[in-house]
Amino acid sequence: MKYNVVVVGGGPAGLGAAVEAKKNGAKDILIIERDRELGGILNQCIHNGFGLHEFKEELTGPEYAHRFIEMVKKENIDYMLNTMVLNISEDKTIEALGEDGLINIKADAIVLAMGCRERTRGAIDIPGYRPGGVYNAGAAQRLSNMEGYMVGKEVVIYGSGDIGLIMARRMTLEGAKVKAVVEVNPHSSGLTRNIVQCLNDFSIPLMLSTGISYIHGKQRVEGVTLSKLDENRRPIEGTEEFIKCDSVLLSVGLIPENELSVEAGVKLDVKTSGPIVNNSMITNIDGVFACGNVVHVHDLVDFVTKESRIAGKNAALYSLNKLIQNDTVSTIANDGISYIVPQNIDTKCEEDINLFMRVRAIYKNKKLVVRSDDKVILEKKRLHMIPSEMENIKIGKDLFKDITGNITVSVEEV
């Protein structure tokens, strides 16, 4: 089997990349998806709030996915379901296991769009037994929204990431009592709108600088002991509090799904845990591109789509031998910035470039300053910045004449 572009992953990133590759001249395109249907994580996100940037209207997750699935079908793009990619070789041959057994697929260009996975209880070491009733928030979301199962009646949610906040509302609407959302940081890890709509509107308490120090119960969760944490996240003696519950949902972070990338030789950024890419979304492996949550965890699916369009377009150009690759400069996260994507920029690019980044702390009335060789090329004032909401700076192509070396971004006083 031979294709111009093969996209690994049929979620929002993969769908967007495939459609854009088709629009830019790639004739033979294949999407490989390990689940039973296209759409990825969006299929279980039945709440609204998607599509405000992309479609200028508010959609649910399945509605957003459906629009791209219809585009895929309209463009006659091939896709395989229930198929797992096992390996990607140096010559861009993909080995996959599907319903008909092992298959080998040769690609001119590959787009990695595998998304991300949830951090588990084992990664955060909560003391206690291993009773039934401990779920990752995403797993609970799928069980509730797609499989029709109620995971518990009295719930404590550990972590205030967006999935945890949304599941607090969802469990309440299904008739459960959410006792608390517990967060180890002094600030929420989710979007402000989700705190308002999912917690405040339902009078669900958010307990900041608090951790679960023990999960009680052997057969089934019976409750949790909470403790206040100091600035080093150590439990403060005498602050212990027991809360009775039958379920604990974990929303303690997302990790880009990059085992396949590593085996293919793709270099990862230690800060994002995703591939190092340039503004065309190409990795260090020639002809291998990456986009979406496999690169870095996004807060809005609309930004995933924006990134996937870039990857799909350039994968198509690569497959047609039309992608021009020049020397690049690096983007460097300076004071107050955790990371920047893309990590490299082609200074001869003829299009505007968006830099996506996250700040390290909560900032008010600051500015983002972009420099090249200590020369300020762009400043953007921000009234409010928090780590859970991604920042986006557009560098116009007219500014490229001012780029003489590596680009740094920092948070500074106005």
Side-chain angles (χ1 to χ4, degrees):
M1 300 177 69
K2 178 79 166 61
Y3 287 89
N4 295 131
V5 177
V6 175
V7 180
V8 183
L15 294 171
V19 170
E20 199 66 20
K22 188 74 171 186
K23 289 180 179 179
N24 283 274
K27 294 181 179 179
D28 300 315
I29 302 168
L30 173 67
I31 300 171
I32 304 176
E33 170 56 46
R34 66 183 179 185
D35 208 346
R36 63 195 181 200
E37 55 197 336
L38 295 173
I41 198 69
L42 290 178
N43 291 323
Q44 66 189 56
C45 299
I46 63 174
H47 52 279
N48 59 9
F50 301 90
L52 291 170
H53 294 267
E54 185 67 24
F55 297 110
K56 309 304 179 188
E57 59 181 302
E58 198 169 38
L59 305 172
T60 65
E63 286 173 330
Y64 190 98
H66 178 73
R67 295 204 177 182
F68 278 94
I69 292 170
E70 288 299 301
M71 293 180 203
V72 165
K73 292 178 178 178
K74 183 179 178 181
E75 298 286 353
N76 294 315
I77 296 171
D78 293 341
Y79 58 88
M80 293 179 179
L81 303 177
N82 298 310
T83 304
M84 174 74 78
V85 174
L86 303 177
N87 183 55
I88 298 174
S89 66
E90 290 183 8
D91 65 348
K92 292 188 283 296
T93 297
I94 295 170
E95 185 180 28
L97 179 63
E99 296 173 331
D100 298 324
L102 279 173
I103 50 176
N104 287 311
I105 304 162
K106 184 74 173 70
D108 295 325
I110 296 171
V111 179
L112 303 175
M114 294 88 71
C116 57
R117 67 177 188 272
E118 295 181 274
R119 186 174 280 112
T120 63
R121 177 185 176 182
I124 55 176
D125 289 333
I126 306 175
Y129 293 97
R130 298 184 64 186
V134 180
Y135 300 90
N136 283 91
Q141 186 181 53
R142 183 175 181 112
L143 287 169
S144 174
N145 295 347
M146 296 183 69
E147 313 297 341
Y149 292 103
M150 187 70 171
V151 298
K153 295 179 179 179
E154 294 184 306
V155 184
V156 170
I157 297 177
Y158 195 28
S160 62
D162 289 312
I163 301 175
L165 298 175
I166 288 163
M167 280 308 293
R169 175 178 62 186
R170 184 73 184 132
M171 295 299 293
T172 301
L173 292 173
E174 287 295 336
K177 173 65 176 176
V178 179
K179 298 290 190 74
V181 174
V182 181
E183 172 59 55
V184 298
N185 291 307
H187 54 80
S188 171
S189 302
L191 295 171
T192 301
R193 75 180 189 196
N194 285 332
I195 297 170
V196 174
Q197 296 174 1
C198 301
L199 299 188
N200 298 352
D201 287 356
F202 293 89
S203 301
I204 298 171
L206 173 61
M207 305 176 69
L208 300 174
S209 298
T210 304
I212 294 180
S213 52
Y214 201 87
I215 294 178
H216 300 270
K218 289 187 178 181
Q219 300 303 316
R220 178 78 191 193
V221 172
E222 296 173 0
V224 294
T225 295
L226 308 181
S227 299
K228 287 292 184 182
L229 306 178
D230 62 19
E231 61 273 12
N232 297 314
R233 293 189 183 177
R234 295 193 185 110
I236 301 172
E237 288 189 28
T239 63
E240 296 83 1
E241 176 187 359
F242 176 80
I243 294 182
K244 181 178 178 293
C245 63
D246 61 16
S247 298
V248 177
L249 305 190
L250 304 177
S251 178
V252 290
L254 300 169
I255 305 169
E257 188 82 72
N258 273 302
E259 284 70 22
L260 189 62
S261 308
V262 172
E263 288 187 11
V266 174
K267 291 182 180 179
L268 303 187
D269 187 323
V270 294
K271 294 179 181 177
T272 63
S273 298
I276 295 172
V277 295
N278 70 7
N279 51 282
S280 67
M281 303 310 294
I282 195 169
T283 68
N284 63 294
I285 304 297
D286 200 35
V288 177
F289 299 76
C291 60
N293 285 347
V294 81
V295 177
H296 60 130
V297 177
H298 294 64
D299 49 3
L300 296 177
V301 72
D302 302 71
F303 291 158
V304 169
T305 297
K306 178 182 285 189
E307 207 171 79
S308 69
R309 290 188 191 282
I310 298 170
K313 174 184 176 180
N314 288 297
L317 294 176
Y318 180 91
S319 72
L320 299 170
N321 294 315
K322 293 181 179 179
L323 181 64
I324 300 172
Q325 299 185 65
N326 302 300
D327 292 336
T328 62
V329 295
S330 299
T331 57
I332 300 171
N334 237 349
D335 297 339
I337 305 294
S338 294
Y339 70 81
I340 303 172
V341 172
Q343 290 87 348
N344 299 299
I345 289 180
D346 180 347
T347 55
K348 295 182 181 179
C349 179
E350 297 180 355
E351 297 178 347
D352 298 342
I353 292 176
N354 286 286
L355 299 181
F356 293 98
M357 65 199 73
R358 290 186 187 271
V359 295
R360 293 177 182 166
I362 298 175
Y363 297 105
K364 293 184 179 181
N365 298 317
K366 302 287 185 181
K367 64 181 178 182
L368 295 172
V369 181
V370 183
R371 289 184 172 86
S372 178
D373 277 347
D374 295 328
K375 178 184 178 183
V376 175
I377 60 173
L378 189 62
E379 293 185 1
K380 291 290 183 180
K381 292 182 180 179
R382 293 287 193 269
L383 293 176
H384 187 67
M385 295 185 290
I386 56 177
S388 59
E389 296 186 6
M390 191 178 297
E391 296 294 328
N392 177 15
I393 293 181
K394 179 186 288 187
I395 299 180
K397 57 186 176 183
D398 57 313
L399 294 176
F400 287 9
K401 64 181 184 299
D402 298 322
I403 297 176
T404 56
N406 290 340
I407 294 172
T408 62
V409 183
S410 57
V411 177
E412 298 182 16
E413 298 290 338
V414 175

